[in-house]
Amino acid sequence: MPPEPSRTRKPSKKLAHALKIIQALKQKGHEALLVGGCVRDQVMGKEPTDYDIATSAKPDEIERLFKKTLAVGAQFGVILVLPAPGLRFEVATFRREGTYEDGRHPSWVKFTDARQDAERRDFTINGLFLDPAGEGRILDYVGGEKDIRGRLVRAIGDPNKRFEEDKLRILRAVRFACTLDFQIEPQTWAAVKSKARDITQVSHERIREELVKIFTRPHAERGLDLLDESGLLEVILPEISAMKGVEQPPQFHPEGDVFVHTRLLLKQLKDASSTLALGALFHDVGKPPTFTIQDRIRFNNHDKVGADMTRNIMRRLKFSNRETEDVAALVDNHMRFKDVQKMREAKVKRFIARPTFQDELEMHRIDCLASHGDISNWHFLRKKAAEYSQEDIKPKPLISGHDVMKLGIPEGPRVGEILSAVMDQQLERKFKNKNEALAWIKESYIEKG
Ligand code: ATP
Ligand code: MG
């Protein structure tokens, strides 16, 4: 069945709240409209992720009207309205903006009307307003409806000028083209290509946000292509660009070079977490610098080298430590999957109990599908994970370091080794209780010496 036209669909909870905010503003005599991505998505028949509101009300008037607000960017005319726990809406005063000279914020803003607010936006498809009153009338000052129909990302006004004002728009053109699966209008594309190197003037945080959207949303592989073809990849992620043309042993990688292989992983992503998406992007980033020809092409240690490179790249892009370490774990561990069927039970349990396991498992699956196609290790681990699902595979240790030392083992690395061996036995259900564990330590380490 084709989807219902979205404007007649029962409003979601988010939309209902957005409409209430609009109504409250209107009751005070202000103009208030839905704007940007949510209008574009509605026109395309998609459920928007967020609803942004544009209004003639000034920031202090918005603040006064709602109980809970956050003045995140009051000087730029942006107030967050928090109508209920977990819900936040950007309510922004109609404005014009100066250039983003520091790469983060416009140099000035002036409050104005809806038409000029549309004209300061980046692309025609993002410049639409929707008046939810009555039939849900669209206000299109920039030709956005036609471009949505034609599936085109087109800068509003002169693309070169618009990219000079805020260089992030160069990257955003690519982001909207891939996630929406649109073409970039020729003049806009020419400007993207000629200005790609200017992206370095934008803050790492803003670049990071766009990159995460490119790689976690649909058509990530096209995102990689467009980043590459535009020249942005070379500047933002030279380590990924370096994968192009790096040959691999054809018996394991019939698909081609490291870049082609990575692209195929991205193509397999579906509703990916950012950890998984970035793990897929970076998993073989260690291959270019470790390429050697011995008996065959080899990439010795590329997993460890790649994990370190991943940390460097993600620190550069100002990801949090948590995100960085999770993605680095995916890169670091991706070669361990080939040995899982040879692991003892305790090792398999430890492997599965790690917090990043689910993302790693999925990355392993798409890594195989993007090369030789053999997913027997994935099947094996899925079966094991199901088998252990009723069991505590990260049990409280029966024995502490203190217990070991009480048996006469001096403080030092040997205590750790014994604890780890005891945990292996515990995971393999060799003991029922602490006394059995203590007896086993005595027998294995003290009596034998
Ligand atoms: P999504 O939220 O699905 O990623 P979106 O269109 O809502 O898509 P946002 O980045 O949330 O994208 O921006 C909201 C709106 O603000 C855009 O639709 C656009 O109108 C405007 N906008 C955002 N960033 C810029 C920018 N750098 N230059 C001009 N306008 C912008
Ligand atoms: Mg948005």
Side-chain angles (χ1 to χ4, degrees):
M1 217 167 58
E4 264 181 89
S6 59
R7 269 182 263 165
T8 59
R9 200 188 288 151
K10 188 171 160 281
S12 68
K13 189 169 135 214
K14 262 193 200 168
L15 176 56
H17 277 283
L19 297 181
K20 263 201 203 154
I21 293 171
I22 289 180
Q23 225 175 3
L25 286 158
K26 282 188 166 176
Q27 266 169 6
K28 290 280 172 192
H30 303 295
E31 226 183 312
L33 301 159
L34 290 171
V35 66
C38 66
V39 183
R40 178 195 68 224
D41 290 346
Q42 293 232 59
V43 171
M44 293 178 72
K46 290 201 291 192
E47 174 97 35
T49 40
D50 284 304
Y51 292 89
D52 294 332
I53 294 159
T55 178
S56 58
K58 303 290 183 303
D60 57 315
E61 293 170 315
I62 303 169
E63 281 180 305
R64 254 181 282 138
L65 202 52
F66 301 97
K67 257 198 226 116
K68 241 183 138 180
T69 60
L70 268 176
V72 280
Q75 70 272 43
F76 310 111
V78 184
I79 300 288
L80 285 184
V81 175
L82 312 143
L87 280 177
R88 50 172 59 200
F89 294 88
E90 217 179 277
V91 181
T93 311
F94 296 139
R95 67 183 190 270
R96 295 195 302 131
E97 287 182 340
T99 52
Y100 277 59
E101 270 149 28
D102 66 350
R104 282 167 213 263
H105 306 295
S107 47
W108 53 262
V109 307
K110 285 196 182 80
F111 297 140
T112 172
D113 58 11
R115 173 183 291 276
Q116 289 194 327
D117 187 81
E119 286 165 357
R120 67 136 183 117
R121 291 174 185 273
D122 45 8
F123 304 106
T124 59
I125 56 171
N126 291 344
L128 298 173
F129 298 101
L130 190 144
D131 181 354
E135 289 293 287
R137 187 172 55 105
I138 302 269
L139 277 79
D140 183 1
Y141 298 110
V142 291
E145 276 190 291
K146 176 178 73 39
D147 284 337
I148 292 176
R149 279 195 303 275
R151 305 180 74 82
L152 273 185
V153 177
R154 181 199 307 270
I156 295 174
D158 175 350
N160 283 300
K161 270 199 208 133
R162 302 310 310 285
F163 292 168
E164 270 155 37
E165 284 166 10
D166 177 8
K167 277 102 190 167
L168 186 70
R169 292 171 190 154
I170 304 165
L171 178 56
R172 283 172 63 86
V174 164
R175 198 256 281 184
F176 289 109
C178 64
T179 42
L180 299 171
D181 200 19
F182 281 18
Q183 296 300 313
I184 301 178
E185 173 276 324
Q187 282 183 0
T188 304
W189 178 235
V192 167
K193 287 204 287 196
S194 83
K195 299 216 170 287
R197 301 205 77 81
D198 293 348
I199 197 69
T200 52
Q201 296 167 35
V202 177
S203 73
H204 291 296
E205 290 84 347
R206 295 181 81 208
I207 293 177
R208 178 195 66 215
E209 279 177 27
E210 297 299 326
L211 286 179
V212 167
K213 287 182 178 178
I214 288 174
F215 292 112
T216 53
R217 294 185 179 187
H219 316 293
E221 78 288 357
R222 189 156 167 255
L224 184 66
D225 293 341
L226 290 174
L227 286 172
D228 181 34
E229 289 160 21
S230 61
L232 285 164
L233 193 65
E234 174 73 56
V235 190
I236 307 175
L237 292 169
E239 301 88 344
I240 299 294
S241 199
M243 301 190 311
K244 284 193 295 179
V246 176
E247 293 304 327
Q248 312 195 81
Q251 62 273 40
F252 303 117
H253 287 283
E255 75 284 5
D257 70 26
V258 182
F259 189 85
V260 169
H261 167 68
T262 300
R263 185 185 181 282
L264 288 175
L265 258 84
L266 296 178
K267 198 169 175 192
Q268 297 280 345
L269 294 174
K270 236 180 127 227
D271 293 325
S273 68
S274 56
T275 305
L276 173 59
L278 295 170
L281 180 66
F282 294 137
H283 80 290
D284 276 348
V285 75
K287 280 188 170 179
T290 57
F291 177 94
T292 56
I293 300 177
Q294 299 167 346
D295 51 328
R296 59 167 171 84
I297 293 171
R298 290 193 180 273
F299 303 100
N300 298 329
N301 221 22
H302 78 272
D303 42 357
K304 307 292 164 211
V305 171
D308 280 340
M309 291 173 73
T310 299
R311 288 191 187 92
N312 283 337
I313 299 167
M314 290 183 69
R315 281 190 204 127
R316 180 172 84 216
L317 291 168
K318 313 275 184 223
F319 280 91
S320 72
N321 287 341
R322 175 79 273 140
E323 288 171 294
T324 303
E325 283 313 313
D326 285 352
V327 177
L330 263 65
V331 178
D332 200 350
N333 291 316
H334 81 277
M335 296 303 286
R336 294 175 67 195
F337 280 76
K338 66 179 174 16
D339 302 322
V340 289
Q341 300 201 48
K342 287 180 252 152
M343 288 179 185
R344 62 184 284 186
E345 190 182 6
K347 202 163 178 187
V348 173
K349 285 186 179 170
R350 286 177 197 264
F351 196 75
I352 292 178
R354 287 171 312 111
T356 46
F357 175 72
Q358 284 306 332
D359 279 331
E360 286 183 27
L361 182 65
E362 177 59 8
M363 190 174 93
H364 171 71
R365 189 183 72 89
I366 60 178
D367 193 8
C368 296
L369 292 181
S371 49
H372 48 68
D374 174 0
I375 57 167
S376 49
N377 291 326
W378 177 82
H379 281 298
F380 170 81
L381 284 169
R382 288 251 302 175
K383 209 173 106 229
K384 286 291 167 196
E387 210 174 294
Y388 302 145
S389 63
Q390 303 304 319
E391 202 178 308
D392 184 5
I393 55 170
K394 227 181 165 181
K396 217 171 139 256
L398 288 168
I399 295 292
S400 70
H402 202 67
D403 295 326
V404 176
M405 287 188 281
K406 268 208 281 193
L407 293 175
I409 311 271
E411 196 174 340
R414 194 162 155 80
V415 175
E417 280 163 32
I418 295 175
L419 284 176
S420 169
V422 173
M423 181 50 87
D424 282 345
Q425 299 294 111
Q426 188 181 336
L427 285 169
E428 289 170 5
R429 296 176 301 269
K430 302 279 168 47
F431 328 119
K432 284 195 222 44
N433 53 43
K434 183 169 177 172
N435 281 338
E436 288 184 18
L438 288 170
W440 181 81
I441 299 175
K442 278 189 208 144
E443 189 189 305
S444 324
Y445 291 91
I446 296 175
E447 286 155 20
K448 282 190 192 158

PDB file of all heavy atoms in Angstrom, residues 35 51-54 72 78-81 88-92 95:
ATOM      1  N   VAL A  35       9.513  25.211   9.594  1.00  0.00           N
ATOM      2  CA  VAL A  35      10.504  25.623   8.595  1.00  0.00           C
ATOM      3  C   VAL A  35      11.602  24.582   8.400  1.00  0.00           C
ATOM      4  O   VAL A  35      11.886  23.779   9.295  1.00  0.00           O
ATOM      5  CB  VAL A  35      11.150  26.980   9.012  1.00  0.00           C
ATOM      6  CG1 VAL A  35      11.976  26.821  10.281  1.00  0.00           C
ATOM      7  CG2 VAL A  35      12.007  27.549   7.884  1.00  0.00           C
ATOM      8  N   TYR A  51      11.193  19.098  14.383  1.00  0.00           N
ATOM      9  CA  TYR A  51      10.401  20.203  13.849  1.00  0.00           C
ATOM     10  C   TYR A  51      11.019  21.513  14.306  1.00  0.00           C
ATOM     11  O   TYR A  51      11.145  21.746  15.504  1.00  0.00           O
ATOM     12  CB  TYR A  51       8.959  20.104  14.354  1.00  0.00           C
ATOM     13  CG  TYR A  51       8.222  18.909  13.784  1.00  0.00           C
ATOM     14  CD1 TYR A  51       8.269  17.677  14.435  1.00  0.00           C
ATOM     15  CD2 TYR A  51       7.521  19.004  12.597  1.00  0.00           C
ATOM     16  CE1 TYR A  51       7.612  16.570  13.903  1.00  0.00           C
ATOM     17  CE2 TYR A  51       6.870  17.910  12.059  1.00  0.00           C
ATOM     18  CZ  TYR A  51       6.923  16.695  12.717  1.00  0.00           C
ATOM     19  OH  TYR A  51       6.279  15.606  12.187  1.00  0.00           O
ATOM     20  N   ASP A  52      11.434  22.341  13.354  1.00  0.00           N
ATOM     21  CA  ASP A  52      11.957  23.659  13.700  1.00  0.00           C
ATOM     22  C   ASP A  52      10.883  24.701  13.397  1.00  0.00           C
ATOM     23  O   ASP A  52      10.102  24.551  12.453  1.00  0.00           O
ATOM     24  CB  ASP A  52      13.213  23.975  12.874  1.00  0.00           C
ATOM     25  CG  ASP A  52      14.358  23.036  13.223  1.00  0.00           C
ATOM     26  OD1 ASP A  52      14.403  22.556  14.367  1.00  0.00           O
ATOM     27  OD2 ASP A  52      15.200  22.780  12.347  1.00  0.00           O
ATOM     28  N   ILE A  53      10.892  25.737  14.230  1.00  0.00           N
ATOM     29  CA  ILE A  53       9.855  26.773  14.109  1.00  0.00           C
ATOM     30  C   ILE A  53      10.536  28.120  13.873  1.00  0.00           C
ATOM     31  O   ILE A  53      11.549  28.429  14.514  1.00  0.00           O
ATOM     32  CB  ILE A  53       9.008  26.804  15.409  1.00  0.00           C
ATOM     33  CG1 ILE A  53       8.226  25.471  15.521  1.00  0.00           C
ATOM     34  CG2 ILE A  53       8.063  28.009  15.436  1.00  0.00           C
ATOM     35  CD1 ILE A  53       7.775  25.132  16.905  1.00  0.00           C
ATOM     36  N   ALA A  54       9.984  28.884  12.937  1.00  0.00           N
ATOM     37  CA  ALA A  54      10.485  30.242  12.696  1.00  0.00           C
ATOM     38  C   ALA A  54       9.356  31.216  13.013  1.00  0.00           C
ATOM     39  O   ALA A  54       8.189  30.934  12.740  1.00  0.00           O
ATOM     40  CB  ALA A  54      10.930  30.398  11.244  1.00  0.00           C
ATOM     41  N   VAL A  72      20.070  29.016  23.980  1.00  0.00           N
ATOM     42  CA  VAL A  72      21.326  28.495  23.424  1.00  0.00           C
ATOM     43  C   VAL A  72      22.009  29.479  22.487  1.00  0.00           C
ATOM     44  O   VAL A  72      23.218  29.559  22.449  1.00  0.00           O
ATOM     45  CB  VAL A  72      21.125  27.170  22.660  1.00  0.00           C
ATOM     46  CG1 VAL A  72      21.032  26.009  23.610  1.00  0.00           C
ATOM     47  CG2 VAL A  72      19.933  27.245  21.741  1.00  0.00           C
ATOM     48  N   VAL A  78      17.999  32.349  18.406  1.00  0.00           N
ATOM     49  CA  VAL A  78      17.536  30.956  18.550  1.00  0.00           C
ATOM     50  C   VAL A  78      17.286  30.622  20.015  1.00  0.00           C
ATOM     51  O   VAL A  78      18.165  30.778  20.861  1.00  0.00           O
ATOM     52  CB  VAL A  78      18.574  29.959  17.977  1.00  0.00           C
ATOM     53  CG1 VAL A  78      18.024  28.538  18.058  1.00  0.00           C
ATOM     54  CG2 VAL A  78      18.943  30.320  16.556  1.00  0.00           C
ATOM     55  N   ILE A  79      16.068  30.168  20.297  1.00  0.00           N
ATOM     56  CA  ILE A  79      15.705  29.751  21.656  1.00  0.00           C
ATOM     57  C   ILE A  79      15.214  28.308  21.584  1.00  0.00           C
ATOM     58  O   ILE A  79      14.472  27.945  20.676  1.00  0.00           O
ATOM     59  CB  ILE A  79      14.548  30.635  22.205  1.00  0.00           C
ATOM     60  CG1 ILE A  79      14.944  32.118  22.244  1.00  0.00           C
ATOM     61  CG2 ILE A  79      14.078  30.148  23.577  1.00  0.00           C
ATOM     62  CD1 ILE A  79      15.944  32.490  23.318  1.00  0.00           C
ATOM     63  N   LEU A  80      15.654  27.494  22.548  1.00  0.00           N
ATOM     64  CA  LEU A  80      15.091  26.140  22.619  1.00  0.00           C
ATOM     65  C   LEU A  80      13.888  26.184  23.542  1.00  0.00           C
ATOM     66  O   LEU A  80      13.978  26.700  24.654  1.00  0.00           O
ATOM     67  CB  LEU A  80      16.113  25.160  23.184  1.00  0.00           C
ATOM     68  CG  LEU A  80      17.252  24.704  22.281  1.00  0.00           C
ATOM     69  CD1 LEU A  80      18.096  23.655  22.999  1.00  0.00           C
ATOM     70  CD2 LEU A  80      16.709  24.112  20.971  1.00  0.00           C
ATOM     71  N   VAL A  81      12.781  25.623  23.090  1.00  0.00           N
ATOM     72  CA  VAL A  81      11.597  25.507  23.937  1.00  0.00           C
ATOM     73  C   VAL A  81      11.459  24.042  24.320  1.00  0.00           C
ATOM     74  O   VAL A  81      11.539  23.152  23.465  1.00  0.00           O
ATOM     75  CB  VAL A  81      10.330  26.011  23.197  1.00  0.00           C
ATOM     76  CG1 VAL A  81       9.081  25.769  24.032  1.00  0.00           C
ATOM     77  CG2 VAL A  81      10.475  27.498  22.871  1.00  0.00           C
ATOM     78  N   ARG A  88      12.518  18.930  22.720  1.00  0.00           N
ATOM     79  CA  ARG A  88      13.044  20.293  22.562  1.00  0.00           C
ATOM     80  C   ARG A  88      12.824  20.765  21.139  1.00  0.00           C
ATOM     81  O   ARG A  88      12.975  20.012  20.182  1.00  0.00           O
ATOM     82  CB  ARG A  88      14.514  20.352  22.952  1.00  0.00           C
ATOM     83  CG  ARG A  88      15.372  19.268  22.293  1.00  0.00           C
ATOM     84  CD  ARG A  88      16.852  19.484  22.567  1.00  0.00           C
ATOM     85  NE  ARG A  88      17.128  19.473  24.000  1.00  0.00           N
ATOM     86  CZ  ARG A  88      18.228  20.013  24.531  1.00  0.00           C
ATOM     87  NH1 ARG A  88      19.115  20.585  23.751  1.00  0.00           N
ATOM     88  NH2 ARG A  88      18.435  19.956  25.826  1.00  0.00           N
ATOM     89  N   PHE A  89      12.437  22.003  21.038  1.00  0.00           N
ATOM     90  CA  PHE A  89      12.162  22.585  19.718  1.00  0.00           C
ATOM     91  C   PHE A  89      12.972  23.852  19.551  1.00  0.00           C
ATOM     92  O   PHE A  89      13.043  24.675  20.469  1.00  0.00           O
ATOM     93  CB  PHE A  89      10.672  22.909  19.569  1.00  0.00           C
ATOM     94  CG  PHE A  89       9.812  21.676  19.570  1.00  0.00           C
ATOM     95  CD1 PHE A  89       9.341  21.146  20.776  1.00  0.00           C
ATOM     96  CD2 PHE A  89       9.520  21.021  18.391  1.00  0.00           C
ATOM     97  CE1 PHE A  89       8.576  19.991  20.788  1.00  0.00           C
ATOM     98  CE2 PHE A  89       8.756  19.861  18.392  1.00  0.00           C
ATOM     99  CZ  PHE A  89       8.288  19.343  19.597  1.00  0.00           C
ATOM    100  N   GLU A  90      13.571  23.989  18.364  1.00  0.00           N
ATOM    101  CA  GLU A  90      14.291  25.220  18.073  1.00  0.00           C
ATOM    102  C   GLU A  90      13.277  26.231  17.563  1.00  0.00           C
ATOM    103  O   GLU A  90      12.632  25.992  16.542  1.00  0.00           O
ATOM    104  CB  GLU A  90      15.326  24.916  16.988  1.00  0.00           C
ATOM    105  CG  GLU A  90      16.612  25.674  17.187  1.00  0.00           C
ATOM    106  CD  GLU A  90      17.625  25.332  16.128  1.00  0.00           C
ATOM    107  OE1 GLU A  90      18.308  24.298  16.280  1.00  0.00           O
ATOM    108  OE2 GLU A  90      17.720  26.096  15.155  1.00  0.00           O
ATOM    109  N   VAL A  91      13.136  27.320  18.293  1.00  0.00           N
ATOM    110  CA  VAL A  91      12.247  28.398  17.857  1.00  0.00           C
ATOM    111  C   VAL A  91      13.138  29.596  17.544  1.00  0.00           C
ATOM    112  O   VAL A  91      13.846  30.093  18.423  1.00  0.00           O
ATOM    113  CB  VAL A  91      11.218  28.749  18.953  1.00  0.00           C
ATOM    114  CG1 VAL A  91      10.284  29.847  18.460  1.00  0.00           C
ATOM    115  CG2 VAL A  91      10.412  27.499  19.346  1.00  0.00           C
ATOM    116  N   ALA A  92      13.143  30.002  16.277  1.00  0.00           N
ATOM    117  CA  ALA A  92      14.113  31.014  15.850  1.00  0.00           C
ATOM    118  C   ALA A  92      13.405  32.214  15.241  1.00  0.00           C
ATOM    119  O   ALA A  92      12.479  32.066  14.444  1.00  0.00           O
ATOM    120  CB  ALA A  92      15.069  30.402  14.829  1.00  0.00           C
ATOM    121  N   ARG A  95      15.404  35.924  10.539  1.00  0.00           N
ATOM    122  CA  ARG A  95      16.634  36.725  10.573  1.00  0.00           C
ATOM    123  C   ARG A  95      17.426  36.683   9.278  1.00  0.00           C
ATOM    124  O   ARG A  95      17.242  35.795   8.445  1.00  0.00           O
ATOM    125  CB  ARG A  95      17.539  36.233  11.706  1.00  0.00           C
ATOM    126  CG  ARG A  95      18.082  34.822  11.477  1.00  0.00           C
ATOM    127  CD  ARG A  95      18.917  34.397  12.684  1.00  0.00           C
ATOM    128  NE  ARG A  95      19.661  33.167  12.471  1.00  0.00           N
ATOM    129  CZ  ARG A  95      19.222  31.941  12.743  1.00  0.00           C
ATOM    130  NH1 ARG A  95      17.992  31.770  13.201  1.00  0.00           N
ATOM    131  NH2 ARG A  95      19.979  30.896  12.545  1.00  0.00           N
TER     132      ARG A  95
END
